[in-house]
Amino acid sequence: MTVRTRTPQVAVTPAKKGRALPPFLVHVLAALGALAVVVLLTLVTDEFTNLRLATIGYYLVAVAGLTLLTGLTGQVSLGHGAFMFIGAYTVALLVKHVPAFPLWADLLLASAAGGLAGLLAGAAAARLRGPYLAGATLALAVGLPALTRKFPDFLGGSNGLSFTVHSRPAGIGVPELRWQTWIVWLSVLLALVLVVNIVRGRLGRDFRAVRDDEVAAALSGIPVGRTKILAFLVSAVCGGLAGGLQAFLLGTAAPGSFTPALSLSLLAAVVLGGLGSLWGALWGAVALVYFQAWSEDLADVLHLNTDVANNLPLAVYGVILIVVVLAFPRGIQGGFRWLRGLLRRSAE
């Protein structure tokens, strides 16, 4: 008698050609590519354009932090300029009183100071919602710059603090402003790598859950109050870094640079670029810089008086904001997504 046995079939899977890179490494490589693009742009443009590129850089990290706070957790802040104020004055005071500190330490401490202020503000604002939260943060933006008049000997009064940072190593034949632009963008891209990893990680999912439904998030085991405070902390760290970079670039920290209008402009940039989108933060930062520059050029061409010329950038920015929001409710980045979808459907 012959016994026939069945040989088990073993599924053969094709060998993988290669493993995908870890997300953190992908983000680092993207940041290096972006830095290479910025360096190339500074090499082929004049100093005035380099200054604008650097300005876009520090606005970008500020708007990205506010995007994380408002777009991902739904907390509307009208006082983000206050965190920039803290970062700028931290760098100014450190440069003047502790000149032995390297620049990277000054910027880290500026970020930490902004984060500490954000931690305190977040703890106070965790119980507030809607207009109450917006009003509380607006009071922060109004009150902090007034401290310069209370302590004029320490904070420089209305004129602020002026200083000089020699960050360029000896022997490098690069113009000072171009070197500063590289330092600004290197710092910004390092910060953005961390922000992107937060947004796409577990904490980012917690942020979105709290934004969509606080009750459901709490029932899922997410600590709502702590999550809101963490969002304020990360956002304020970005604001402190942005203010520190602004002070480093301009060599001054003055209260006139951190008025409530700055906080409102940052929030408008978030909406204009695309609420909740880090790419939108880039478009919003570009809009903040270039719409103001174009408005000033228009005022010069039309020979407008000083009062009208000073208010024209705000008026132009407001009109463009209304038009973009009406045409694309999700901002400029939302418009790009709509256009990409339209092209894809037409190609099919």
Side-chain angles (χ1 to χ4, degrees):
M1 182 176 178
T2 305
V3 180
R4 303 180 64 181
T5 59
R6 174 177 291 182
T7 303
Q9 299 294 324
V10 179
V12 179
T13 56
K16 293 183 179 180
K17 294 182 178 180
R19 295 182 179 180
L21 294 175
F24 181 79
L25 183 56
V26 172
H27 300 152
V28 170
L29 292 176
L32 291 175
L35 182 62
V37 171
V38 170
V39 170
L40 181 61
L41 286 175
T42 59
L43 293 175
V44 298
T45 54
D46 57 10
E47 287 194 351
F48 190 63
T49 305
N50 288 349
L51 177 61
R52 287 182 175 177
L53 287 173
T55 305
I56 290 172
Y58 67 73
Y59 274 146
L60 170 57
V61 72
V63 176
L66 190 55
T67 295
L68 184 146
L69 180 67
T70 301
L72 293 187
T73 62
Q75 301 182 86
V76 178
S77 172
L78 299 180
H80 215 61
F83 303 127
M84 292 184 63
F85 169 89
I86 292 172
Y89 272 85
T90 299
V91 167
L93 292 171
L94 287 172
V95 171
K96 291 181 72 69
H97 298 290
V98 195
F101 272 22
L103 176 62
W104 62 266
D106 293 342
L107 294 176
L108 280 179
L109 290 173
S111 304
L116 178 60
L119 192 64
L120 297 175
R127 300 177 180 273
L128 301 177
R129 297 182 182 179
Y132 302 103
L133 175 59
T137 53
L138 181 60
L140 187 65
V142 173
L144 268 183
L147 291 177
T148 58
R149 295 191 294 271
K150 292 290 184 180
F151 306 98
D153 295 334
F154 184 56
L155 298 178
S158 300
N159 295 325
L161 300 174
S162 299
F163 55 93
T164 302
V165 179
H166 299 288
S167 61
R168 184 181 54 179
I172 294 183
V174 177
E176 183 69 26
L177 184 56
R178 183 176 297 167
W179 175 259
Q180 289 177 316
T181 303
W182 294 354
I183 294 297
V184 167
W185 272 97
L186 176 61
S187 306
V188 168
L189 291 171
L190 287 174
L192 288 179
V193 168
L194 299 178
V195 170
V196 169
N197 281 275
I198 290 174
V199 169
R200 297 192 176 183
R202 179 178 178 179
L203 187 56
R205 292 192 294 271
D206 290 349
F207 288 161
R208 287 184 283 271
V210 170
R211 176 198 62 191
D212 295 338
D213 194 324
E214 291 186 13
V215 176
L219 292 175
S220 301
I222 298 174
V224 174
R226 188 175 68 184
T227 302
K228 287 184 174 183
I229 293 173
L230 285 175
F232 250 102
L233 171 63
V234 177
S235 180
V237 167
C238 292
L241 176 61
L245 290 173
Q246 178 180 346
F248 158 70
L249 180 67
L250 302 180
T252 182
S257 301
F258 306 100
T259 62
L262 171 62
S263 299
L264 296 175
S265 297
L266 293 174
L267 184 60
V270 171
V271 177
L272 179 64
L275 197 62
S277 169
L278 292 179
W279 274 108
L282 174 61
W283 312 134
V286 171
L288 272 178
V289 174
Y290 276 95
F291 286 167
Q292 180 174 359
W294 293 337
S295 300
E296 293 173 354
D297 293 341
L298 179 62
D300 291 338
V301 170
L302 297 178
H303 303 290
L304 301 176
N305 61 54
T306 304
D307 293 334
V308 176
N310 291 337
N311 292 295
L312 183 62
L314 292 176
V316 170
Y317 191 73
V319 170
I320 293 175
L321 176 63
I322 293 172
V323 171
V324 170
V325 169
L326 288 176
F328 304 105
R330 296 185 179 181
I332 296 175
Q333 182 63 18
F336 285 147
R337 290 175 181 171
W338 174 81
L339 181 61
R340 185 170 63 244
L342 182 63
L343 293 175
R344 186 181 301 168
R345 288 192 298 271
S346 62
E348 294 175 354

